[in-house]
Amino acid sequence: MRNKTLKYALLLVSGFALSSPVWAENECPDYDKARGAMLANTCAGCHGTNGASVGPASPIIGGLSAETISETMKAYKSGDRPSTIMGRIARGYTDEEIDAMAGFFCEQKFVPAKQEVDAEKAEAGKELHDKYKCEKCHEEGGTIDVDGSSIIAGQWKAYLAYELSDFQEKHRGMPKKMKRAMKKLLKQDADARLEQIIEYYASQQ
C-alpha cells in the first residue's frame, strides 16, 4: 500500500513538472529606470534581489504588473490596505517614487518559490480551483497578473496562507466574485480545502 501511494505521488509530481506553467511578460510603462532601480534596491532585504523573495512569508514581487505594485503600495500608504510594516514603509515614498519602483519590478522576471509540496493535496486544490471558477480572476492557474488579481501561482505557502486569512477575517475586502466563490469553497472542510488550494498554487514552480 505504501509503495502504491508513493508511486501515485511521484506520478502527480511528474505531471506538474511536465506541465510547467509559463508566467506571462508584462507590458510595463515608461519610468525613470535609474531612479526605479535605486529605490527598488531598498526592498531587497525582505523581497529579495529584483523582487525574487527567498521566503518564507514575503511575497515575490518581481514580475508583477506595475499597476498591481503601484496600487498596492498606495493602498498601504493611505491605510486602505492593512499591514504590519508596509504601511510605515510606503508612507516614506512619494507617489512618483512608488510608480518608478513599480516600473522596475514590472520588468523583472517572476521567479517562483522552490518549496516542497504535497502532490495529492495539490491535485485536490487544482480541482477546487476549477470547480469554483477561480480561473475567472486568477487566469492560467494564477500565473497571470490581470485586473489587480496579482500572481498567486508560485508564491510562498506562508504568504498565501496569510493573505487568505486576511480575507477570511475580513481585514481585507473581497471582490463580489471572489466572495461568492470563497463562500461556496469553504462551506465544508474549510481548513482542509484552504490547505489544498494553497498547495496547488505553490506547486507551480
Side-chain angles (χ1 to χ4, degrees), residues 120-161:
E120 290 187 56
K121 288 179 181 178
E123 180 65 16
K126 183 182 186 306
E127 291 175 5
L128 292 173
H129 173 88
D130 294 338
K131 180 177 180 180
Y132 293 100
K133 298 181 172 58
C134 303
E135 190 75 13
K136 284 186 175 180
C137 296
H138 300 291
E139 296 181 19
E140 300 296 328
T143 61
I144 296 177
D145 183 356
V146 61
D147 296 332
S149 294
S150 194
I151 294 174
I152 55 177
Q155 291 284 4
W156 291 100
K157 287 193 277 189
Y159 166 70
L160 292 170

Side-chain angles (χ1 to χ4, degrees), residues 35 39 66 69-75 77 89-105:
R35 191 182 193 193
L39 292 167
I69 293 176
S70 185
E71 287 184 358
T72 300
M73 284 289 286
K74 289 171 185 176
K77 182 178 178 179
I89 291 172
R91 285 194 289 274
Y93 297 101
T94 66
D95 285 355
E96 290 74 20
E97 288 173 330
I98 288 173
D99 289 341
M101 284 190 288
F104 173 84
F105 286 119

Side-chain angles (χ1 to χ4, degrees), residues 4-199:
K4 186 177 180 181
T5 302
L6 178 60
K7 184 177 180 181
Y8 176 63
L10 289 171
L11 282 171
L12 285 174
V13 171
S14 299
F16 289 125
L18 288 171
S19 57
S20 297
V22 177
W23 282 264
E25 292 185 8
N26 296 310
E27 291 185 13
C28 303
D30 291 332
Y31 69 100
D32 184 330
K33 295 188 184 298
R35 191 182 193 193
M38 179 190 70
L39 292 167
N41 283 337
T42 65
C43 306
C46 293
H47 295 284
T49 303
N50 297 334
S53 168
V54 294
S58 295
I60 299 158
I61 57 176
L64 300 187
S65 70
E67 180 184 11
T68 289
I69 293 176
S70 185
E71 287 184 358
T72 300
M73 284 289 286
K74 289 171 185 176
Y76 281 136
K77 182 178 178 179
S78 67
D80 288 342
R81 179 165 174 167
S83 67
T84 49
I85 62 169
M86 281 305 302
R88 295 194 295 274
I89 291 172
R91 285 194 289 274
Y93 297 101
T94 66
D95 285 355
E96 290 74 20
E97 288 173 330
I98 288 173
D99 289 341
M101 284 190 288
F104 173 84
F105 286 119
C106 176
E107 289 188 341
Q108 307 311 306
K109 181 181 179 180
F110 184 88
V111 181
K114 301 302 179 186
Q115 55 193 324
E116 291 185 7
V117 295
D118 184 307
E120 290 187 56
K121 288 179 181 178
E123 180 65 16
K126 183 182 186 306
E127 291 175 5
L128 292 173
H129 173 88
D130 294 338
K131 180 177 180 180
Y132 293 100
K133 298 181 172 58
C134 303
E135 190 75 13
K136 284 186 175 180
C137 296
H138 300 291
E139 296 181 19
E140 300 296 328
T143 61
I144 296 177
D145 183 356
V146 61
D147 296 332
S149 294
S150 194
I151 294 174
I152 55 177
Q155 291 284 4
W156 291 100
K157 287 193 277 189
Y159 166 70
L160 292 170
Y162 289 141
E163 289 296 290
L164 284 169
S165 176
D166 275 350
F167 282 124
Q168 277 186 286
E169 295 174 13
K170 299 182 179 179
H171 297 318
R172 289 182 61 190
M174 285 187 275
K176 289 182 179 178
K177 286 189 291 186
M178 181 179 178
K179 188 180 289 186
R180 287 194 297 269
M182 287 290 286
K183 186 176 180 180
K184 292 176 183 176
L185 189 149
L186 302 178
K187 195 171 183 179
Q188 58 184 10
D189 301 325
D191 290 343
R193 286 183 161 195
L194 282 176
E195 188 177 2
Q196 288 165 353
I197 206 156
I198 287 170
E199 290 287 336

